[in-house]
Amino acid sequence: MNESHDDKPHTPGPSLWPIGFAVGVACLLVGLVISVPALIVGAVITVVFGWLWVRELTHRHGPPSEATVGAEAPIEEERYGAVAEAAHDTYDRSAFLTASTIGVGGLIGAAVTIPSLGFMVLPSFVGEGVETYDVDLGPISNFPEGEYVVATYTESADIGEVSRRTAFVRNNGLTADGVPSFSIVFSRCVHLGCPVQPNGPLDGDPIEYVADGMPPVTLQPVLAASFGCPCHGGLYDGEGNRTAGPPVRALDRYEFSIVDGNLVLGRLFSVGEVQGNGANAVISKYYRAYPGVHVDGIERFLYPIPTPGSKS
Ligand code: FES
C-alpha cells in the first residue's frame, strides 16, 4: 500500500471484480431457470470473482508489504514515532469493518438464500417422493390382448390408501422380436394432475389380485379408445398422445418387466410423443417431469431441469 504523505485521502482505483461478480450472480439466477450447465457456470464465475473482489479489498486495506514498510518507516517514525510503527503491524479499523461487513453479510445472505434454493431446486432432482417400483399386477393372462385394463394398486403399503394409483394397461401381444409388449399409461393428467378417465364402457367384472404382503390390485377391463380429463377437457388418444385441450405432452408411462409370468410395474417416465401404436410404437421417452412441464421442443428450455431423453 503506497500512501501519499500529503494528507490527501487515498481513493481506490476502479475494479472489474464487482462487475464479474454481478455477471456471475445473473448467470447463476438464469441458470436456475433454464439449465444446470448455466447454473454451474454462474456459480463458478460468482465464486471466482467474489474471491478476487474480497482479496482486493483485504489487500487494499491490509498491512503493507515489507518493502513498503521499509521504504516508509523512517518517515512514519519521524512523524508519529512508535505508535505509527505499531499501526503498520495490524489491520486498521476500516479494513476490519470492511472484512466483517462482507463476512457477516455473506453469512446472512447464505442463511437466507441456501434454504430457498434448496426448496426451489431439490424437488426437481429428487422427484415427487414415492415412486413406483416393482408393483406386481399379477399374471399376464389377466390382461386380454388389445384391450385396456384399469389397474388400481397401492404404491406403498406403509403409506396406505393415499398412495392408491391407477394405470391403464394394454397387452399388445408380442413384438417382432417375440418379446411381450405392454402399453402402461399413468392416469395422472399432464396438464395439472387430475385423474384421467378411459373413454369407453366397462367390459365385464373386475378381477382382484393380491401379491404377498401387499394390498389388493383391482383389474377392470374397459373398451376404451381414448382418455379424457374431466377437469379442463384434456383429451388423449389410445396411445396417450394429447389430442385436445391444455395438456402439454403425452401421458406418462411405466416401465415394466415380466417376472415368473407376472406383470410388474417399474419406474414412471414422461413421454413427448408416441408414434405408431401397440407393439410397434416408437416412444419419445424422457425423465419423469411434473404435470404442465414440456419435455421436448423449444418449450423444454423454459423449465428448470433439462430433460435429456432417448427414443425407444
Ligand atoms: S388437469 Fe387435466 S385438463 Fe387440466
Side-chain angles (χ1 to χ4, degrees), residues 166-228:
T166 299
F168 307 124
V169 184
R170 187 183 61 201
N171 183 349
N172 299 321
L174 300 178
T175 66
D177 301 328
V179 177
S181 167
F182 284 84
S183 298
I184 309 181
V185 177
F186 189 31
S187 69
R188 181 176 295 171
C189 181
V190 292
H191 175 221
L192 293 177
C194 284
V196 165
Q197 310 293 328
N199 290 330
L202 304 181
D203 185 26
D205 295 327
I207 300 171
E208 198 168 89
Y209 171 75
V210 182
D212 280 349
M214 288 296 293
V217 173
T218 304
L219 305 173
Q220 173 63 64
V222 289
L223 298 173
S226 62
F227 303 97

Side-chain angles (χ1 to χ4, degrees), residues 96 171 241 303:
F96 170 75
N171 183 349
N241 285 315
Y303 292 86

Side-chain angles (χ1 to χ4, degrees), residues 227-245:
F227 303 97
C229 178
C231 290
H232 313 103
L235 286 175
Y236 305 87
D237 67 15
E239 295 298 324
N241 285 315
R242 172 200 171 274
T243 55

